[in-house]
């Protein structure tokens, strides 16, 4: 079974920020989960490099657009690497292979009879790279998303006859109410379709920074059409001499609500016209807010994910964002919140559990995980709870409820910490008659921690691998598969002592 997952390709008009990191991390978690299910996964991210917004940014910096994108795109590639993304390819819309594919794609729209030349005037917001109706602007006449004044733009352009797809889109939505998640976003997209779709301009004559319309060199292809097609074009050249389209298409898309219409309405219609299968689904997540406001380059209230990662690594950031903000809802994030969850949940609860387990095995069993022997009632329950935790978390990841999966996992981490308190291995160790019980408890803690590592792997992959290594377990790809997640699959191996997984952060003085 194959699974293809994408993030939006990010505009390179300014620096990457936490909002981009968030989508990439969320998609990475889901990609890793599907790999753990043994599926053949392809995960794509990249950069959107054409259009007015990029051309303007370049001009402000005194660079050509090409120079500008060549400086900026590597920063987005570096962000994906810094957050630990396991993307299989990084696409840039200035790749010549993408450009050629986009031209061939719009030729298909034209061959389908869905392109016409017309004159249109409207209020255009450069930050959105889209037109607004006057009635949708703020009372001050500003773009409701960016708070800036749209400008009147009138041009003769090529139009895609989106209106023709209204009924087919509505029928498609009704046949698959799970196409867009969460349900509120599905309803929003469907009601947008049902209100009536207008044809959309898919070329620009006023700018030159874009892919030329193949049959009219005076026009360039509208940046949104250019951008959406990346999800298809990437598969044709991500691997040399290999077309991955048949293996992976259609995709599952991750994005935030700002670009819902483009993905849930325009993109499916373009695909229908050009004769492709539609995406398998779309997850629309909310915004990360800072002090209640959307983080955005245009608004200028960004946080620097690179600084956080340099300070404490990517894993605490991944954990915090996935734990704090439910996919689909907005959520306020802060450095204080991150530090609090780091100390309480990562350092105290998970990190300490591992240190105690490994050091007790070191002290009482010469550093080798003992065989379980007869378990006794208490541990049989801990074992079945552990396997149930993995099954529950797996189902939750499958429903894109990552926050829920982390809740289930942490409930079990706490259960294991209670086991240490209840059994007090340091007391058992003093009584030779309790040797079997001590074996069972130490083996149980290691078995339970192994299940925790497998379950938490998609969110904090390096931590998971480190836990398994300290427990002396193998950590190849096959060892991370979910079907190895049974209690008794622990190998009674020598443990490895090491520094704390998450050294406590000093509380800010
Ligand atoms: N280039 C287009 C997308 C083309 S996809 C074919 C674009 N780029 S963007 O750089 O503005 O990125 C928008 C996306 O970045 C959002 O949909 C979301 O995935 C992510 N985010 C940007 N700011 C964000 C927050 N403050 N919070 C959450 N996600 C954010 O639109």
């Amino acid at each position: 079974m194959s699974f293809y997952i994408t993030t939006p390709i990010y505009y390179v008009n300014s620096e990457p920020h936490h909002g981009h990191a968030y989508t990439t991390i969320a998609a990475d978690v889901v990609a890793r989960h599907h790999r753990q299910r043994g599926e053949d996964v392809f995960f794509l991210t990249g950069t959107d490099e054409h259009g007015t917004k990029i051309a303007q940014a370049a001009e402000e910096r005194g660079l050509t657009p090409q120079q500008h994108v060549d400086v900026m795109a590597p920063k987005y590639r570096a962000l994906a690497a810094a957050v630990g993304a396991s993307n299989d390819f990084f696409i840039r819309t200035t790749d010549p292979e993408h450009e050629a594919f986009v031209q061939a794609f719009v030729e298909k729209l034209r061959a389908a009879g869905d392109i016409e030349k017309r004159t249109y005037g409207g209020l255009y917001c450069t930050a959105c790279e889209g037109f607004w109706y006057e009635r949708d602007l703020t009372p001050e006449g500003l773009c409701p998303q960016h708070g800036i004044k749209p400008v009147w733009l009138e041009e003769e352009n090529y139009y895609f006859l989106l209106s023709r797809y209204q009924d087919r889109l509505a029928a498609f939505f009704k046949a698959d109410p799970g196409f867009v998640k969460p349900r509120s976003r599905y309803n929003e997209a469907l009601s947008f379709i049902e209100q009536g779709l207008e044809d959309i301009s898919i070329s620009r004559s006023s700018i030159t920074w874009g892919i030329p319309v193949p049959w009219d060199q005076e026009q360039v292809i509208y940046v949104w059409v250019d951008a959406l097609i990346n999800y298809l074009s990437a598969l044709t050249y991500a691997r040399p001499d290999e077309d991955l389209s048949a293996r992976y298409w259609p995709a599952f898309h991750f994005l935030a609500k700002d670009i819902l219409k483009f993905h849930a309405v325009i993109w499916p219609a373009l695909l229908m016209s050009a004769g492709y299968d539609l995406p398998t689904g779309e997850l629309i997540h909310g915004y990360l807010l800072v002090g209640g406001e959307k983080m955005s380059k245009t608004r200028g209230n960004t946080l620097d994910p690179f600084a956080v990662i340099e300070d404490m690594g990517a894993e605490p950031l991944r954990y915090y964002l996935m734990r704090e903000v439910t996919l689909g809802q907005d959520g306020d994030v802060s450095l204080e919140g991150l530090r609090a969850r780091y100390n309480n949940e990562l350092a105290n609860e998970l990190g300490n559990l591992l240190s105690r387990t490994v050091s007790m095995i070191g002290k009482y069993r010469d550093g080798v995980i003992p065989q379980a022997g007869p378990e006794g009632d208490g541990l049989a329950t801990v074992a079945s709870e552990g396997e149930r935790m993995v099954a529950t978390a797996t189902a939750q990841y499958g429903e894109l409820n990552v926050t829920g999966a982390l809740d289930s996992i942490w409930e079990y981490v706490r259960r294991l910490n209670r086991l240490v308190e209840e059994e007090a291995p340091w007391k058992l160790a003093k009584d030779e008659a309790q040797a079997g019980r001590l074996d069972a408890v130490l083996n149980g803690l290691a078995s339970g921690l192994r299940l925790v590592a497998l379950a938490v792997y998609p969110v904090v992959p390096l931590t998971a691998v480190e836990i398994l290594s300290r427990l002396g377990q193998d950590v190849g790809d096959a060892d991370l598969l979910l079907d190895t997640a049974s209690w008794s699959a622990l190998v009674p191996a020598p443990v490895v002592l090491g520094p704390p997984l998450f050294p406590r952060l000093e509380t800010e003085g």
Side-chain angles (χ1 to χ4, degrees), residues 7-14 17-24 46-50 53-54 76 93 127-129 146 223-231 253-260 262-263 267 283-290 293-298 301 325 329-331:
T7 72
I9 48 172
Y10 306 114
Y11 285 132
V12 293
N13 55 322
S14 60
H17 60 70
H18 267 94
H20 308 120
Y22 178 59
T23 312
T24 302
T47 42
D48 188 353
E49 305 187 6
H50 292 127
K53 181 156 154 155
I54 309 295
Y76 283 81
T93 55
C128 297
E129 292 278 16
H146 297 97
V223 62
W224 263 105
V225 173
D226 167 351
L228 287 164
I229 296 170
N230 91 88
Y231 300 133
H253 300 306
F254 261 59
L255 50 134
K257 56 190 178 181
D258 50 342
I259 53 179
L260 170 67
F262 293 104
H263 283 80
W267 179 226
L283 182 275
I284 319 300
H285 64 69
Y287 291 147
L288 294 190
L289 307 173
V290 178
E293 254 203 71
K294 185 189 172 205
M295 249 191 267
S296 127
K297 295 176 282 197
T298 315
N301 63 343
V325 187
Q329 292 170 19
D330 291 351

Side-chain angles (χ1 to χ4, degrees), residues 131-194:
F131 285 101
W132 284 98
Y133 297 125
E134 206 145 357
R135 61 164 195 256
D136 295 326
L137 299 177
T138 66
E140 299 77 35
L142 306 179
C143 162
Q145 288 205 8
H146 297 97
I148 55 181
K149 201 171 175 58
V151 292
W152 184 259
L153 188 70
E154 189 173 292
E155 289 184 7
E156 190 173 49
N157 294 141
Y158 293 97
Y159 272 71
F160 171 66
L161 305 185
L162 181 64
S163 58
R164 287 191 176 172
Y165 288 88
Q166 165 144 356
D167 294 346
R168 272 173 276 181
L169 284 170
F172 169 70
F173 265 74
K174 286 186 179 140
D176 186 4
F179 175 62
V180 172
K181 294 181 181 65
R183 192 56 182 244
S184 56
R185 298 294 162 205
Y186 166 88
N187 291 336
E188 187 181 327
L190 179 58
S191 93
F192 182 77
I193 294 166
E194 287 179 332

Side-chain angles (χ1 to χ4, degrees), residues 6 43 48 54 59 62 108 155 201 210 213 234 246 249 278 298-299 311 313 318 400 422 435 463 486 490:
T6 68
F43 172 26
D48 188 353
I54 309 295
E59 201 180 312
K108 288 185 183 170
E155 289 184 7
S201 151
V213 171
W249 188 259
L278 303 197
T298 315
R299 286 186 194 265
D311 191 30
R318 292 172 65 102
L400 306 176
E422 286 160 13
T463 302
S486 65
L490 177 83

